[in-house]
Amino acid sequence: METIFVKTGTTLASQIYNCPDADPVPALDAILAGYDRVYAVADSLAAEKCPCAGKIVEHLSSKGCPIFGINASEAEKSMDTVLAIASFLMEQGADRDALVLAIGGGITTDMTGFAASIYKRGVRFAFFPTTLLSQVDAAIGGKTGVNFLNYKNILGVIRQPEFTFLSPSVLLSLPKEDLLCGCAEMLKTFIIQDDGNYQKAVSLFSALHQGVHLSSLLSEISALVGASARVKAGVVSRDQFEKGERRNLNLGHTFAHAMESLAMENNIHLPHGLAVGIGTVLAAKCADSLGLSDGSLERRLRTDFNACGLPVDCPFPLENLAPAMYKDKKAAGKKVHFILPEGIGKVVVRDMTPEEAVELIG
Ligand code: GLY
């Protein structure tokens, strides 16, 4: 099993285990044996819909591990759920030696990490992510938190998990749309740092889109998940608190967040990962217009993302994006950091007003 390290300075902050085994229980068990008291927080739906997650929950329960089920949704990504997790830990008598293991997607890992970070001024936590998106992004890097007053992830802390356990087996039962959301974040990661993985990922997801079954590509996807985790672990090791390089991970996200907020206003279904894919194509268009790339990057990404089954067109009039990029009216006219790809494997930061960015894509 590959181990990837997140090191901040000289300190080992977190470990990422990329487990290739069809049955991840023995490997997870061996890691958990190093902890005296483990408490689990599991997304009830993930445990029900994902046989692999269900098996882990059942196994932990049979070993006497207390388990708290939550409903992981954006609406319930709130302080109320964090307080419910804290109540569970208190009722169970969890002490400072506790390890809180989250089993679920990004919403579950974000909330559990936050609850553990403030419980008794911080106890250890670990993640067993059950979606591709959380494996390549949310469960790595220590961003935890909840939504508040209609702002996403506005309350939270950056604190590293003890470990993140990646198992490709959870992906077998993942709905196609969830797989595509993770695909978009993975492609985004390889556009930031390629090492030859971008094209491999495009080929793999194109094959899946053409109907090849994931079970026959499990070791390939596991290798790409590991490669993507290595890129993110490296970035986080160098810039844990997002003062510089970590901003690169927001490639496509400024456009994506604007689209997501318009989608919410208009009651349109637009999951985060799909918005990131479209946002990355728009960022490439900006780069083409500014002469930062060879002028054909947007066309290339459109072709590649399309082949993978990702949407590539903004579902809203482009002129609506700029106002949606401002978090509040007072920010109007201010420059924001746009991460723009110069090619596959290299991005730069450009500070522009949202209006300037939208003009480049219009
Ligand atoms: N999701 C971007 C980051 O963790 O920095």
Side-chain angles (χ1 to χ4, degrees), residues 71 76 170 291 350:
N71 298 317
E76 297 198 37
V170 298
R350 272 293 160 108

Side-chain angles (χ1 to χ4, degrees), residues 137-138 140-143 185 188 232 236 242 246-247 249-250 253 272:
D137 191 44
I140 297 173
K143 281 188 180 173
E185 286 281 3
K188 173 217 78 176
K232 184 159 185 188
V236 172
E242 203 168 310
R246 187 166 182 171
R247 287 185 193 139
L249 296 172
N250 296 330
H253 280 63
H272 175 67

Side-chain angles (χ1 to χ4, degrees), residues 126-147:
F127 297 150
F128 185 92
T130 58
T131 62
L132 181 60
L133 191 139
S134 56
Q135 288 191 338
V136 298
D137 191 44
I140 297 173
K143 281 188 180 173
T144 72
V146 295
N147 304 332

